[in-house]
Amino acid sequence: MKTIYFLLSLGIFFISNKLTAQQTTYIPDDNFEQALIDLGYDNILDNYVAKNNIITITDLDIRFKDISDLTGIESFTGLLFLNCTFNNLNNLDLSNNILLKELHCGANSIRSLDLSNNTALTYLDCGFNKLDVLDLRTNKALTGLYCDYNNLVSLDVKNGNNTNFIYFDASNNSRLTCIEVDNATYSRTNWLNKDSTSNYCDGGDAGVSTELTYVPDNNFEKALIALGHDDVLDDYVPTNNISGVTVLDVSDRGIEDLTGIASFSDLTTLDCGKNNLTNLDLSGNTSLAWLNCAGNNLGSLDLGNNISLFYLNTASNSLSSLDVSNNLLLIRLFCNYNNLLSLDVKNGNNTNFTAFNATNNPDLACIEVDDVAYSNSNWSNKDAASSYSTDCGGGDGGGSEELTYVPDNNFEKALIALGYDDVLDDYVPTGNISGVTVLDVSDRSIEDLTGIASFSALTTLDCRKNNLTNLDLGGNTSLAWLNCSRNNLGSLDLGNNISLFYLNTASNSLSSLDVSNNLLLIRLFCNYNNLLSLDVKNGNNTNFTAFNATNNPDLACIEVDDVAYSNSNWSNKDAASSYSTDCGGGDAGGSEELTYVPDNNFEKALIALGYDDVLDDYVPTGNISGVTVLDVSDRSIEDLTGIASFSALTTLDCRKNNLTNLDLGGNTSLAWLNCSRNNLGSLDLGNNISLFYLNTASNSLSSLDVSNNLLLIRLFCNYNNLLSLDVKNGNNTNFTAFNATNNPGLACIEVDDVAYSNSNWSNKDASSSYSTDCGTSVIAKSSNSKKANYNNSLSIEQSEINNFRLYPNPVKDVLNIYLAKGFKINQVYIYNAYGQRVLSATTNRIDVNGLSGGIYLVEIETTQGKSTKKIIIE
């Protein structure tokens, strides 16, 4: 009997479990289930949801929930609308949701999306994912599509309903060459949101080439991935991604094998220096004109097919022979530091050479040339044991210990790392650098390149991603290739650099750029600056292979050789910019409004910076209104009248002058200020709400109030006569520097929290103490309404996270700004760690690829107010 009862109980148990399984849906992702609990569809976090609660749901909004897995969505059989944007989804299976009409799944990491069962779908937003292929042929009701910012190589929208489409955007899919549509003519006329490299096709299977190039060296492929030509480390790269590439820099990447380089069929410039290559086959790169393969282990090099070559650097290899006699255009050759036994330079073009170096080849007895007398007179860079001959039959130069002054320690450290110096002492032996042709000092935190003039043979300079505010290359007359992007340059004079053919000045603070005298220039990148004037009228525009002047919002006029040609071939400019053969003197048609600058030393400083040309107490306002960074330190200036016209100023260095007053009320964007070592008696910074760095040390201030400078995190007010100091700005816990020492009359410092300041801010006099209410400030306190509003805005920002969000964060390429319905962007500004405005936009998708890694502030002004958020750029 007990056995019967046991069997009955066991049977009931299994039946009960089976019924339970049939009545619940498995939800393994806790964040997904929690979202359903928040919406009232579940009540306990146990990985299961009652099916009856969800099968009738028609609308589901689960944005910003950090969901990684939507398993369980198959039970939402009545679903018509789904918004799962801004989550962490890698895949999405909606094959069971056959009633679905509207799908928002953008801003995830989805790699594949099969919607063949979702034939009722009318709208799809899958932008900002990682899709390679998207096939929408069976979605015949579809009339709206956003698939921008993916990795698409195949897109088929041939659903028979294209003429009814209301929305279409397939832009920012650089690998997408063909989009299959109903009618190519219709799509070309009506669907404009695609990349210029994409075409509409109305036959075949999307016409996408699947040809792959074999790239066995992982470091080579990693370099191509970093450059955006590939995305998966699998020994193969889509040939279409690289066949049109003209400039390739894979230097210093640890590469041992360049197999695959032949598929770069349009390559004109290759820098593969400082790798571990033992062989290099460039026979398939017949357009190659510029080659640097220095610093490898090459034993041989055949350049017979590279008839366009004009620049060749093979220095520091193991070559035993080199024949460039068939390279008829060659005019610059560096083959020093090899094991050459044979060198043939008899190419019929020797008299046009601008550089030649064959030193440090101790066994090279004969160098074959066009004319012995000419080479002996003009080519001194050979070993004493080598001689020139027109038929060769089938030392260190003894430089003196002349020194070059290099005051910037980071610059000198870079030169030490490159082997040009050995002691950090502000001096480098000139003989070590005078013959250097290629110099890479990128990303070294360099502020000053003083000493660069001694690199008299320099042809290639990479100084990007530093902190340079000025750059004088007047002595580098052989310079042909320059990348100085991602610095803080306010001006750049390249009038002496007549050999320049490549120039990248992107992401600086240039207000003007004139390359009209750079007659060989064919590649120019000056995007992300503050340009008001750009002159590219160099008589060589038709030979340009690259041009980008975008993100210069105040650039109205670009002076060029031919307007029609530039309009047809140079699309990379802002909509507000136009081409002209005469921009009316280079100020982009600006009025001749003048700013009064009565202090001669101030005006002389502006003349030295290129913002003025005559000492007459007046400066053209158009020359300075867009300036963001100004350094007029140590100029004996007594009066900064005129500073108000620097209306875009974010960074001001006016230390070590003779100023007795300083009015910065008109400089509302100011974020970084150093006015130390002057004679200031007072300073009002109430209007400078963006200020995060302030140095007022060594002045005569009796009071200082920064309570309304809500972003301030670095303050130096030491060595003053302060009686009153108010630092109660609601942001004290974020301070990274504070110094109020040597103010003997300062008894009380007003702060946010006494305990915190006592624990973290030791730089004060013993007679000073912290308080949350000093009550004796000699400055009449303004209302705390700004603080209240600021803190209130922060609380709104925290609580209404679904209405406002930056994604992704950290970000690598494109920053996406999500705003809820009813919100609209007016303006977006991005500031770097120095408080300098580096980007501005009015859209919710911003390309930040040109910015260096680090922490930035994003200021967003919407129709509902303004807020500031931090982002990290990787």
Side-chain angles (χ1 to χ4, degrees):
M1 195 66 159
K2 289 182 178 179
T3 301
I4 293 173
Y5 279 125
F6 172 75
L7 292 174
L8 285 172
S9 299
L10 189 63
I12 292 170
F13 172 78
F14 281 116
I15 291 170
S16 176
N17 276 359
K18 185 174 182 182
L19 288 172
T20 300
Q22 290 174 340
Q23 294 169 358
T24 60
T25 290
Y26 179 51
I27 309 285
D29 189 292
D30 286 352
N31 291 327
F32 183 19
E33 188 179 6
Q34 185 60 54
L36 298 179
I37 292 172
D38 294 342
L39 290 169
Y41 303 133
D42 193 18
N43 57 9
I44 185 170
L45 193 64
D46 59 357
N47 291 348
Y48 288 93
V49 175
K51 280 188 179 179
N52 286 340
N53 290 358
I54 58 177
I55 58 175
T56 58
I57 293 173
T58 58
D59 289 29
L60 183 61
D61 189 341
I62 46 175
R63 294 169 290 169
F64 300 117
K65 300 298 183 180
D66 291 324
I67 299 170
S68 299
D69 185 354
L70 270 188
T71 295
I73 196 70
E74 65 275 5
S75 292
F76 289 73
T77 52
L79 206 58
L80 302 176
F81 171 94
L82 172 61
N83 192 337
C84 56
T85 54
F86 297 100
N87 282 292
N88 304 316
L89 299 173
N90 293 314
N91 57 73
L92 183 59
D93 183 357
L94 299 172
S95 56
N96 205 44
N97 309 95
I98 59 175
L99 300 180
L100 195 65
K101 290 187 175 182
E102 191 168 332
L103 172 60
H104 303 255
C105 60
N108 281 281
S109 300
I110 300 171
R111 292 186 176 276
S112 64
L113 189 61
D114 184 353
L115 298 171
S116 55
N117 280 9
N118 308 100
T119 56
L121 201 65
T122 61
Y123 178 93
L124 170 62
D125 183 352
C126 57
F128 289 90
N129 277 289
K130 297 180 179 180
L131 297 174
D132 294 312
V133 176
L134 186 61
D135 187 344
L136 302 170
R137 287 175 294 178
T138 62
N139 306 102
K140 299 188 180 300
L142 194 69
T143 58
L145 173 63
Y146 290 93
C147 56
D148 49 331
Y149 291 96
N150 274 280
N151 300 321
L152 290 173
V153 294
S154 173
L155 174 60
D156 196 335
V157 201
K158 193 173 184 178
N159 71 340
N161 197 35
N162 289 181
T163 56
N164 291 319
F165 265 57
I166 302 171
Y167 314 104
F168 179 86
D169 191 343
S171 60
N172 290 282
N173 284 284
S174 59
R175 301 164 61 193
L176 185 60
T177 58
C178 178
I179 304 171
E180 189 79 358
V181 295
D182 294 343
N183 183 286
T185 302
Y186 175 84
S187 295
R188 276 193 295 271
T189 304
N190 295 278
W191 295 358
L192 305 180
N193 292 323
K194 68 172 186 63
D195 298 323
S196 59
T197 52
S198 303
N199 296 307
Y200 293 113
C201 311
D202 49 19
D205 60 352
V208 177
S209 169
T210 57
E211 182 183 350
L212 298 174
T213 291
Y214 179 50
V215 179
D217 189 289
N218 282 352
N219 288 327
F220 184 21
E221 190 177 7
K222 285 177 182 177
L224 298 181
I225 290 171
L227 292 168
H229 304 315
D230 193 19
D231 57 358
V232 179
L233 191 65
D234 59 0
D235 290 345
Y236 289 93
V237 176
T239 306
N240 280 345
N241 289 4
I242 58 178
S243 59
V245 173
T246 56
V247 178
L248 182 65
D249 184 348
V250 289
S251 59
D252 201 11
R253 296 281 189 161
I255 299 169
E256 296 180 0
D257 185 356
L258 271 188
T259 294
I261 195 68
S263 291
F264 287 79
S265 51
D266 288 345
L267 201 63
T268 61
T269 301
L270 172 61
D271 190 344
C272 57
K274 297 171 66 177
N275 282 296
N276 303 316
L277 299 172
T278 54
N279 60 73
L280 183 58
D281 183 358
L282 299 171
S283 56
N285 308 97
T286 55
S287 298
L288 198 64
W290 192 98
L291 171 62
N292 180 9
C293 56
N296 281 281
N297 302 312
L298 299 174
S300 62
L301 188 62
D302 184 354
L303 299 169
N305 281 10
N306 309 106
I307 58 175
S308 298
L309 205 65
F310 79 89
Y311 175 97
L312 173 61
N313 189 341
T314 68
S316 301
N317 277 284
S318 302
L319 298 176
S320 58
S321 65
L322 183 62
D323 186 348
V324 291
S325 59
N326 287 324
N327 304 103
L328 307 183
L329 300 180
L330 193 69
I331 57 172
R332 300 183 69 80
L333 173 62
F334 306 90
C335 53
N336 43 316
Y337 290 98
N338 276 279
N339 302 319
L340 289 176
L341 302 173
S342 165
L343 175 58
D344 191 344
V345 201
K346 192 176 181 178
N347 73 337
N349 198 34
N350 289 181
T351 56
N352 291 318
F353 266 56
T354 57
F356 175 83
N357 194 333
T359 58
N360 289 279
N361 286 283
D363 298 320
L364 181 60
C366 185
I367 303 172
E368 195 152 344
V369 295
D370 292 343
D371 182 271
V372 174
Y374 177 83
S375 295
N376 277 324
S377 299
N378 294 277
W379 295 358
S380 59
N381 288 324
K382 68 173 184 65
D383 297 325
S386 302
S387 60
Y388 296 115
S389 172
T390 57
D391 183 4
C392 285
D396 67 357
S400 64
E401 198 57 32
E402 182 185 350
L403 298 175
T404 290
Y405 179 50
V406 178
D408 187 290
N409 283 351
N410 288 327
F411 184 19
E412 190 178 5
K413 285 176 183 178
L415 298 182
I416 290 172
L418 291 169
Y420 303 133
D421 194 18
D422 56 3
V423 179
L424 191 65
D425 60 358
D426 290 350
Y427 290 93
V428 175
T430 306
N432 290 1
I433 59 177
S434 59
V436 173
T437 56
V438 178
L439 183 63
D440 183 348
V441 290
S442 59
D443 201 10
R444 297 280 190 161
S445 301
I446 298 169
E447 296 180 1
D448 186 356
L449 271 188
T450 294
I452 195 69
S454 290
F455 288 79
S456 51
L458 201 62
T459 61
T460 301
L461 173 60
D462 190 343
C463 57
R464 63 186 147 178
K465 294 175 68 177
N466 283 295
N467 303 318
L468 300 171
T469 55
N470 59 73
L471 183 58
D472 183 358
L473 299 171
N476 307 96
T477 55
S478 297
L479 198 63
W481 192 99
L482 171 62
N483 189 341
C484 56
S485 62
R486 297 165 78 171
N487 279 280
N488 301 314
L489 298 174
S491 62
L492 187 62
D493 184 356
L494 299 169
N496 282 6
N497 309 106
I498 58 174
S499 298
L500 206 64
F501 80 92
Y502 175 100
L503 174 61
N504 190 338
T505 68
S507 299
N508 276 284
S509 301
L510 298 176
S511 58
S512 65
L513 183 62
D514 186 349
V515 291
S516 59
N517 287 326
N518 304 101
L519 308 184
L520 300 180
L521 194 69
I522 56 172
R523 298 183 66 80
L524 174 62
F525 305 86
C526 53
N527 44 315
Y528 290 101
N529 274 278
N530 302 318
L531 289 176
L532 302 172
S533 166
L534 175 58
D535 191 347
V536 201
K537 192 176 182 178
N538 73 336
N540 198 34
N541 289 182
T542 55
N543 291 319
F544 267 53
T545 57
F547 175 84
N548 193 335
T550 58
N551 289 279
N552 285 284
D554 297 319
L555 181 59
C557 185
I558 304 173
E559 194 152 351
V560 295
D561 294 343
D562 183 272
V563 173
Y565 177 86
S566 296
N567 278 324
S568 298
N569 294 277
W570 295 357
S571 59
N572 288 325
K573 67 172 185 64
D574 298 324
S577 303
S578 61
Y579 297 114
S580 172
T581 56
D582 184 3
C583 285
D587 66 353
S591 65
E592 197 56 25
E593 182 183 349
L594 298 175
T595 291
Y596 179 50
V597 179
D599 189 292
N600 283 351
N601 289 327
F602 184 20
E603 190 178 13
K604 285 178 182 178
L606 298 182
I607 291 172
L609 291 169
Y611 302 134
D612 194 16
D613 55 5
V614 179
L615 190 65
D616 60 358
D617 289 349
Y618 289 92
V619 175
T621 306
N623 290 1
I624 58 176
S625 59
V627 173
T628 56
V629 178
L630 182 64
D631 184 349
V632 289
S633 58
D634 202 9
R635 298 281 190 161
S636 301
I637 299 170
E638 296 180 1
D639 186 356
L640 270 188
T641 294
I643 195 68
S645 291
F646 288 78
S647 51
L649 201 62
T650 62
T651 301
L652 173 60
D653 191 343
C654 57
R655 63 184 148 179
K656 295 176 67 177
N657 282 295
N658 303 317
L659 300 172
T660 55
N661 60 73
L662 182 58
D663 184 357
L664 299 172
N667 308 97
T668 55
S669 298
L670 197 64
W672 191 100
L673 171 62
N674 189 340
C675 56
S676 62
R677 301 173 69 176
N678 279 280
N679 301 313
L680 298 174
S682 63
L683 187 63
D684 184 357
L685 299 169
N687 281 4
N688 310 106
I689 58 175
S690 298
L691 204 66
F692 81 93
Y693 175 99
L694 174 61
N695 190 338
T696 68
S698 300
N699 276 282
S700 302
L701 298 176
S702 58
S703 64
L704 183 63
D705 186 350
V706 292
S707 59
N708 284 325
N709 303 102
L710 308 182
L711 300 181
L712 192 70
I713 57 172
R714 297 181 67 82
L715 174 63
F716 306 87
C717 54
N718 45 315
Y719 290 99
N720 274 279
N721 301 319
L722 289 176
L723 302 172
S724 165
L725 175 58
D726 190 347
V727 200
K728 191 176 182 179
N729 71 338
N731 198 34
N732 288 182
T733 56
N734 291 320
F735 266 52
T736 57
F738 175 84
N739 194 332
T741 58
N742 289 279
N743 285 283
L746 182 60
C748 184
I749 303 173
E750 192 152 350
V751 295
D752 294 343
D753 183 273
V754 174
Y756 178 86
S757 295
N758 278 324
S759 298
N760 294 276
W761 294 357
S762 59
N763 288 324
K764 67 174 184 63
D765 298 325
S767 57
S768 301
S769 61
Y770 298 114
S771 171
T772 56
D773 183 8
C774 286
T776 57
S777 172
V778 296
I779 297 179
K781 294 275 179 87
S782 62
S783 166
N784 283 330
S785 60
K786 287 186 179 179
K787 292 183 185 177
N789 290 338
Y790 178 73
N791 292 330
N792 187 47
S793 70
L794 286 181
S795 64
I796 292 172
E797 178 185 325
Q798 301 285 339
S799 63
E800 298 183 2
I801 189 68
N802 285 340
N803 293 330
F804 187 84
R805 183 170 175 179
L806 303 178
Y807 184 93
N809 190 8
V811 58
K812 288 183 179 179
D813 300 311
V814 176
L815 179 67
N816 193 29
I817 302 172
Y818 170 78
L819 294 176
K821 186 176 181 180
F823 287 72
K824 183 180 179 182
I825 287 177
N826 290 335
Q827 187 69 56
V828 181
Y829 296 112
I830 299 181
Y831 299 90
N832 65 16
Y834 298 98
Q836 300 160 338
R837 184 186 297 171
V838 293
L839 269 183
S840 61
T842 56
T843 65
N844 64 342
R845 289 170 179 172
I846 304 173
D847 185 353
V848 296
N849 191 44
L851 300 180
S852 57
I855 298 176
Y856 291 77
L857 285 177
V858 182
E859 182 182 80
I860 305 170
E861 181 181 337
T862 74
T863 52
Q864 305 296 321
K866 183 189 292 186
S867 185
T868 302
K869 290 177 178 283
K870 286 183 181 178
I871 62 166
I872 298 174
I873 296 181
E874 295 181 336

